[in-house]
Amino acid sequence: MERTTYFADILLPLPLPGLFTYRLPHDLDVPLAFGMRVVVPFGKSKLYSGLVVEVHTRVPDQVNVKYVLDVIDNEPIVSPQQYKLWQWIADYYMCTLGEVMAVALPSALKIASETKIMLNPAFDGDVSTLTERELRLTEALSYRPMMTIDEISKTLNMQKVIPIIKSLVEKDVVITDEEIRDPYKPKIETYVSLTPEYANNEQAFNQLLDQLSASKRTAGQCDMLLAFLMSARSGKGVGDLKAQMRKADLLKLPAASPSRLQSLVEKGVFQIKEQKISRLANYDPNDSAASITLSAPQQKAYEEIKEQMTQHEVVLLHGVTGSGKTEIYIKMIDEVLKEGKQVLYLLPEIALTSQIVNRLRKYFGDKVGVYHSRFNEYERVEIWNHVLQSGSSITGKYQLILGARSALFLPYRNLGLVIVDEEHDGSYKQVDPAPRYHARDGAVVLAGIHKAKTLLGTATPSLETYYNVKNNKYGLVQLMQRYANSTLPEIWVVNLVESIKQKKMHGQFSEFLLEHIEKALSHKEQVIIFQNRRGYSLRLFCNSCQSMPTCRYCDVTLTYHKRSRLLKCHYCGYAIDLPNECPSCHSKDIEMQGYGTEQVEEILAERFPDAVISRMDLDSTRSKSSYQKIITDFEEHKTDILVGTQMVTKGLDFDRVSVVGILNADSLISYPDFRSFERAYQLMEQVSGRAGRKEIPGKVIIQSYRPEHPALQYVVGHNYEAMYQHQIAERQNFFYPPISKMIKITLKHREEQMVNEAAAVLADMLRQAFPKQVLGPEFPLVSRVQNYFMKDCWVKFARDGQVKRKKAYLQQVIDTFQTTLKYKSVRVVINVDC
């Protein structure tokens, strides 16, 4: 009887369109299903882990169909709902499914391998556990230092060699330059405990102690046993003989030593066992969400949200800073978790997760999982697996996931609620690499796939979200009163022009701001200073030739970082030592211009020598725990002044901040972008909201050369509605989002002339396809990054229900351009909703 031949459509994590079809071997041991990973060959010598999308019997058109080499998973690691989200992201943001897969899966779940195999230097030569074919390969490698997959196939006279290699890797006989196996390994800890002979017999144990203490030679072993019992109590008192202790902790005790431990093991007193443990901490809830008492305004908002969710899939909670939105979130989460469903709580910044996670764990304990890019790859896989398991179990770990935008891609099975806090924040938009998605919009789609509700929360809604509210697409609930009757901060705008004339400036600080900082410190209150530039000085300027050191690879000036004494490029990381003279004309007449957070920190340290000052920017928060330490120290009042970039503007809750200073508002307002007015208002309003959140009244002092600017006046009046009306009228005049849909197309090439020529050709093609809807081509503000010159074009579409069709047509135009032989080397980057 003829056997049925099966094929599988496989998705690979590559920027290539479509799926790839492979043949399944007849002797495949594991039945394949959607969402499982397999090892497949791609190209001449590359192996990848691909995702099974469909198993079928349709014979593909290509002649030589390659075989699936191995199966990695016994169960699917990706759910159908996840895959639907991937498809939407690829379609909406005009990228490939492979690019979405590459971003969605933790790196430890993606396997790619060059096919070079060699003997493990640690291999002891024991071949007793090897099969005949494994032994043949091992012998071959003993004569040749390295072999490719093709060479191994010929040596063994068989094609399916991956299982043999994988087995030898697991036996630590061979290694690969990129190991062809799942790189995730559980964390192993070694524990020490008493053997059953003594753990179950107190009399025998006491006799052992008497015996060991009787001899000087073994008295040290007796001391170690007693120290073990004292330190390894498991809540049952000193006499708990069944307790265990980490070997590393035991050896840290004064009475312990490796030789004493070894002697006690040989005597059958101690036993040593390895255990798989979680890399993630365990937490118990201290309280119940039912214990939260909402204020009257909060209760009203909570009930309105529930009512709005009966009419809308998405609801905006527009609450002023400090109004108590988080307590409402906790009540909503509690309801959903009691139904046995999962909750996704998105935050724009990793800094925020470190503060709010403690509040959530107080109520939900181990049900709270945290997921973001600062976790190492093994921690991320562990969280992934917990979420996968919790989707089918009410008691499973991590029903509530708190994270930045990457948390969107976890394998939810039973999502009941999605919360997007600070929904306005630009950090939700992925810039590079593809997919250039917006996590807020992706979250709305994800919730729709799961038939869940979405709650967007912010004090300063994005124009896109508020536009959807005005058009009745989203529901709206407003909470315009601060919690516990605390008042919104008083806002002052300092005219820098007048302060300079009156000689009331001290470095970058006005006299008015310094006086209020001094007053706050004298009352043991805290201060936040916002300066949206990191580094010490923005540029090094030569007064003789008017030149400035620039990056070798990007068209930007280098920023001085005093601590490292380097001039650095914030785009590519290029750095040079601080020169003593002008690199161009060798003049000594050079000076620093502009200022960043490092200089602000230094000026404050000189002015207030007794104050404890911390800085929170990209340079000071590179490690996973650095955010937590800076924020915890400030929360516990160990820090008096916190200097930071926009990281300090985002939803942080501190109870003793009485003064917030915004040093250079004009740099926010004057940025050449159609969203700069909106973003400047949002940043200033958000950072203002860090002041006066409890019983201490707050003051916000904004320094500006243009105090009459409308954006500043809207901040002073806390008038979001007026800001929205002002901006939406401007967007209507110029047909900008949210009135239209806008797509930016960036061309990149190492030669400027090629970029100019290609951009002109593409722009002409776009104008023919979309008359009166194309802007550009123009050089961006920074026209060269990492030696690639860039030019931008923009296409604007009306929101008329034809956007999907127009995108497909746009993709055809771009594909036609890219097939032109002359421009094949030009890279095209598509950014939807830029």
Side-chain angles (χ1 to χ4, degrees), residues 354 374 621-632:
S354 61
R374 290 293 174 95
T621 56
R622 292 192 181 277
S623 69
K624 182 172 67 177
S625 59
S626 52
Y627 282 107
Q628 182 68 51
K629 184 175 186 334
I630 292 169
I631 291 170
T632 301

Side-chain angles (χ1 to χ4, degrees), residues 202-241:
E202 189 172 347
Q203 184 179 354
F205 180 76
N206 290 331
Q207 290 174 356
L208 172 68
L209 287 178
D210 292 340
Q211 180 184 339
L212 293 175
S213 61
S215 168
K216 284 186 177 180
R217 192 169 60 85
T218 57
Q221 296 173 21
C222 179
D223 293 341
M224 183 173 177
L225 266 177
L226 290 172
F228 166 81
L229 275 190
M230 290 294 293
S231 299
R233 303 191 299 264
S234 60
K236 299 179 183 177
V238 178
D240 179 20
L241 299 181

Side-chain angles (χ1 to χ4, degrees), residues 193-198 204 207-225 259-272:
S193 61
L194 291 173
T195 58
E197 179 184 348
Y198 296 104
Q207 290 174 356
L208 172 68
L209 287 178
D210 292 340
Q211 180 184 339
L212 293 175
S213 61
S215 168
K216 284 186 177 180
R217 192 169 60 85
T218 57
Q221 296 173 21
C222 179
D223 293 341
M224 183 173 177
L225 266 177
S259 59
R260 289 174 181 174
L261 175 61
Q262 183 61 32
S263 297
L264 289 169
V265 170
E266 290 172 357
K267 290 176 179 178
V269 177
F270 275 142
Q271 60 184 0
I272 295 177

Side-chain angles (χ1 to χ4, degrees), residues 651-809:
L652 297 169
D653 188 12
F654 305 115
D655 59 4
R656 294 196 62 81
V657 176
S658 63
V659 174
V660 168
I662 300 174
L663 296 189
N664 188 3
D666 304 291
S667 65
L668 303 173
I669 299 166
S670 305
Y671 192 80
D673 186 282
F674 76 93
R675 299 185 198 271
S676 60
F677 189 111
E678 175 192 2
R679 287 176 177 162
Y681 170 84
Q682 288 167 341
L683 277 171
M684 288 187 283
E685 183 69 25
Q686 287 287 339
V687 76
S688 299
R690 302 316 111 209
R693 293 177 74 90
K694 296 294 187 289
E695 62 276 359
I696 299 172
K699 281 190 175 64
V700 179
I701 298 161
I702 303 173
Q703 297 186 163
S704 172
Y705 290 96
R706 301 167 63 193
E708 73 291 342
H709 194 283
L712 296 177
Q713 296 307 312
Y714 297 142
V715 173
V716 170
H718 300 290
N719 196 340
Y720 174 81
E721 185 68 34
M723 187 282 295
Y724 172 80
Q725 295 298 342
H726 176 280
Q727 277 299 286
I728 208 70
E730 192 170 279
R731 304 282 179 91
Q732 284 172 335
N733 285 339
F734 295 99
F735 197 54
Y736 275 114
I739 308 305
S740 66
K741 287 280 186 181
M742 192 160 78
I743 299 171
K744 182 170 78 170
I745 302 154
T746 302
L747 302 185
K748 294 184 175 184
H749 198 272
R750 291 185 180 273
E751 295 177 13
E752 186 175 7
Q753 184 179 346
M754 177 62 80
V755 167
N756 281 329
E757 187 179 324
V761 170
L762 179 59
D764 185 56
M765 294 172 67
L766 292 172
R767 285 194 174 91
Q768 290 180 33
F770 307 102
K772 298 182 181 179
Q773 293 174 265
V774 179
L775 297 175
E778 291 291 341
F779 284 111
L781 194 63
V782 179
S783 59
R784 182 175 62 106
V785 174
Q786 295 182 336
N787 265 347
Y788 279 90
F789 291 93
M790 295 178 290
K791 235 173 179 182
D792 296 331
C793 294
W794 295 263
V795 182
K796 292 189 283 187
F797 297 141
R799 298 167 68 111
D800 56 3
Q802 299 294 316
V803 174
K804 187 172 183 179
R805 181 186 61 80
K806 291 174 182 176
K807 279 184 184 174
Y809 190 24

Side-chain angles (χ1 to χ4, degrees), residues 228-405:
F228 166 81
L229 275 190
M230 290 294 293
S231 299
R233 303 191 299 264
S234 60
K236 299 179 183 177
V238 178
D240 179 20
L241 299 181
K242 295 184 179 180
Q244 64 176 8
M245 188 177 183
R246 278 199 331 145
K247 179 182 176 183
D249 293 335
L250 175 61
L251 292 176
K252 289 177 183 176
L253 299 177
S257 71
S259 59
R260 289 174 181 174
L261 175 61
Q262 183 61 32
S263 297
L264 289 169
V265 170
E266 290 172 357
K267 290 176 179 178
V269 177
F270 275 142
Q271 60 184 0
I272 295 177
K273 289 183 179 179
E274 289 187 340
Q275 294 182 18
K276 292 181 183 180
I277 66 163
S278 173
R279 291 179 168 82
L280 311 166
N282 290 318
Y283 301 89
D284 293 318
N286 302 322
D287 216 334
S288 165
S291 66
I292 296 175
T293 303
L294 300 180
S295 66
Q298 283 178 313
Q299 185 66 34
K300 183 172 181 286
Y302 173 66
E303 290 169 1
E304 286 180 0
I305 290 169
K306 293 176 72 175
E307 182 184 342
Q308 285 286 333
M309 283 184 170
T310 63
Q311 306 167 40
H312 297 93
E313 299 301 313
V314 183
V315 176
L316 169 66
L317 174 58
H318 181 196
V320 296
T321 54
S323 58
K325 294 187 287 293
T326 305
E327 284 76 15
I328 296 174
Y329 297 156
I330 291 170
K331 287 283 191 181
M332 299 289 297
I333 291 166
D334 189 49
E335 279 193 8
V336 175
L337 295 189
K338 284 177 178 175
E339 294 173 4
K341 294 184 177 180
Q342 297 167 306
V343 177
L344 169 60
Y345 189 139
L346 283 181
L347 288 159
E349 198 72 66
I350 297 169
L352 288 179
T353 63
S354 61
Q355 187 182 48
I356 201 169
V357 68
N358 295 326
R359 295 177 68 181
L360 293 177
R361 280 181 174 149
K362 177 183 176 184
Y363 301 104
F364 304 114
D366 274 354
K367 290 182 180 179
V368 181
V370 183
Y371 190 81
H372 53 65
S373 58
R374 290 293 174 95
F375 282 156
N376 67 47
E377 59 180 298
Y378 301 120
E379 290 171 323
R380 297 179 85 183
V381 171
E382 194 160 322
I383 295 167
W384 182 286
N385 290 336
H386 277 308
V387 175
L388 193 64
Q389 292 158 13
S390 74
S392 56
S393 170
I394 293 176
T395 58
K397 245 189 175 188
Y398 301 159
Q399 280 180 272
L400 168 58
I401 285 292
L402 180 74
R405 61 177 182 251

